[in-house]
Amino acid sequence: MNKFNSLDKSYLEQRKITHEICRLFAKSPSKGNLKRIKGLFAQCGDGVIIEAGFHFDYGSQVQIGDRTFININCTMLDAPINEGAISIGDDCLIGPNVQLLTVSHAVNPIERLNKENFAAPITIGNNVWIGAGVIVLAGVSIGDNAVVGAGSIVTKDIAANTVVAGNPAVKIKDI
């Protein structure tokens, strides 16, 4: 994980702008407000649907493939550095209230006083289904065609063509 300081003045300004766009979309999920959100992403494929309540911090490191569906109240805590990237493949289903968290803090209380953040990317393959209320932590990759059961907390990589569930998420079966 790499460090960055989210209290840096330029990052604060960038987050303020992004949060305002998210607030506008939550208040009025119109095509125009959705276009503003998609315009902040590094890449947003064709046919992507994002439901109301979507929130993210920066967007500049977020890539979403074609035909992905993001349900209500999705939170992406991305970071403005490469290590804070979120990459979502084609044809994914992201359930309601899913959290993708590339950002973390120091466990050591002395280090945490510096207010620095740590970031590691999240990569989601093609045709992945992430159930309602799932939390995906920094540094995790989820392979193609995987299914993550509702309410799971994903702390480690998930192989392609598997079903996982639980806290922490563990393999249930192969698909």
Side-chain angles (χ1 to χ4, degrees):
M1 286 200 190
N2 284 328
K3 293 181 186 181
F4 77 103
N5 185 344
S6 65
L7 299 177
D8 177 272
K9 194 173 183 174
S10 66
Y11 292 153
L12 286 171
E13 184 60 30
Q14 190 177 353
R15 271 200 324 278
K16 181 180 173 183
I17 292 166
T18 302
H19 290 181
E20 181 58 26
I21 291 170
C22 290
R23 275 191 288 280
L24 288 171
F25 182 65
K27 193 174 183 180
S28 174
S30 66
K31 287 182 182 178
N33 285 331
L34 177 59
K35 186 176 179 180
R36 286 181 188 88
I37 282 184
K38 289 180 176 181
L40 294 174
F41 294 145
Q43 176 195 337
C44 189
D46 293 331
V48 170
I49 297 171
I50 301 173
E51 295 291 344
F54 180 78
H55 180 84
F56 62 113
D57 275 346
Y58 302 95
S60 59
Q61 301 296 324
V62 175
Q63 298 179 14
I64 302 176
D66 296 333
R67 300 170 304 280
T68 287
F69 176 81
I70 300 173
N71 213 322
I72 60 170
N73 300 324
C74 179
T75 299
M76 295 185 187
L77 290 187
D78 56 322
I81 58 175
N82 288 340
E83 293 77 10
I86 296 174
S87 176
I88 301 172
D90 297 334
D91 302 302
C92 292
L93 300 171
I94 310 294
N97 301 306
V98 166
Q99 298 176 53
L100 305 176
L101 311 174
T102 69
V103 179
S104 188
H105 304 284
V107 173
N108 179 306
I110 302 300
E111 291 176 14
R112 203 168 43 247
L113 289 173
N114 293 332
K115 306 292 188 230
E116 286 186 326
N117 297 299
F118 295 88
I122 292 173
T123 303
I124 300 170
N126 296 316
N127 196 31
V128 171
W129 175 20
I130 299 178
V134 168
I135 299 171
V136 180
L137 298 181
V140 167
S141 291
I142 300 175
D144 292 347
N145 305 311
V147 175
V148 182
S152 297
I153 299 180
V154 183
T155 61
K156 296 181 180 172
D157 291 352
I158 298 171
N161 303 304
T162 58
V163 176
V164 302
N167 178 8
V170 295
K171 182 178 172 182
I172 305 297
K173 66 180 181 177
D174 290 317
I175 299 175

